[in-house]
Amino acid sequence: MSESADATHSQRPEGFRRVADVLASQQHPHAPLWLEVSARTAQEAADALGVSLGQIAKSVVFRRKSDEAAVLVITSGDKRVDEKKLVPHTGPLGRADADYVKSHTGFSIGGVSPVGHASADGSKPLLYIDQELFRFDHVWAAAGHPNGVFKLSPQELERLTGAPVIDVVQL
């Protein structure tokens, strides 16, 4: 990293830096981008990047009822997760509010990345990738902050996370 890039990196929010560091350590070819506009929703991200809504790898967090574990599903921005399809993999699920998401992933809603988690108790979310992302050559995922994104293929997402690919979207 150059001296000026290093200075810029150190000025970014902690979650963004954490994701950038994970991507660099995994030799991911695309460093995260800092957008001048917030991309809290999949539509805002698609608009900012000039890509289709489906190319946004949105993060949806649930709370597993049996043990309060976080369940993170990465799916296409144009799809909705069908909880009934997810339950066989996780058990019964509940909603995750903003405080829960922050304490169990280390990220605020609108910036939950598939990598670089830092929960309050050191646990990692159970992570699943929806097969609908594989419709695209490249997708864009959140990079730890609503203004941060990074580019990757669905295959790179699978490699970076080690998460299983399943069918969990509504028809």
Side-chain angles (χ1 to χ4, degrees), residues 60-64 69-73 86 90 93 100 125-128:
V60 183
V61 180
F62 298 93
R63 179 185 50 81
R64 187 164 62 183
V71 176
L72 173 57
V73 178
L86 188 55
T90 63
L93 298 168
Y100 178 90
L126 299 168
L127 188 60
Y128 297 93

Side-chain angles (χ1 to χ4, degrees), residues 3 8-9 17 27 44 47-48 50 52 62 65 76 79 95 98 104 111 120 123-124 131-132 142 150-152 162 164:
E3 198 171 306
T8 300
H9 176 75
R17 292 192 319 265
Q27 300 176 348
E44 288 173 347
D47 292 346
S52 74
F62 298 93
K65 289 182 178 180
S76 290
K79 301 294 182 182
R95 296 283 174 202
H104 285 76
S123 65
K124 301 289 185 204
Q131 68 186 17
E132 288 295 317
F150 67 99
K151 182 179 180 179
L152 73 170

Side-chain angles (χ1 to χ4, degrees), residues 4-144:
S4 62
D6 191 42
T8 300
H9 176 75
S10 67
Q11 295 170 3
R12 298 290 183 217
E14 190 270 333
F16 182 87
R17 292 192 319 265
R18 198 168 59 243
V19 171
D21 291 345
V22 168
L23 294 175
S25 74
Q26 295 294 316
Q27 300 176 348
H28 184 67
H30 305 286
L33 300 176
W34 185 261
L35 302 174
E36 294 306 314
V37 296
S38 175
R40 287 189 185 277
T41 68
Q43 188 64 62
E44 288 173 347
D47 292 346
L49 294 165
V51 300
S52 74
L53 182 59
Q55 287 179 275
I56 303 304
K58 77 177 174 184
S59 300
V60 183
V61 180
F62 298 93
R63 179 185 50 81
R64 187 164 62 183
K65 289 182 178 180
S66 65
D67 61 2
E68 296 296 307
V71 176
L72 173 57
V73 178
I74 310 297
T75 190
S76 290
D78 62 347
K79 301 294 182 182
R80 292 185 54 90
V81 174
D82 183 342
E83 289 180 51
K84 290 182 192 117
K85 289 182 174 181
L86 188 55
V87 166
H89 301 276
T90 63
L93 298 168
R95 296 283 174 202
D97 65 16
D99 290 337
Y100 178 90
V101 170
K102 179 72 172 178
S103 70
H104 285 76
T105 68
F107 303 118
S108 297
I109 291 175
V112 177
S113 176
V115 298
H117 304 114
S119 68
D121 66 3
S123 65
K124 301 289 185 204
L126 299 168
L127 188 60
Y128 297 93
I129 301 169
D130 183 66
Q131 68 186 17
E132 288 295 317
L133 285 170
F134 288 79
R135 297 176 289 160
F136 304 101
D137 291 334
H138 289 95
V139 296
W140 292 85

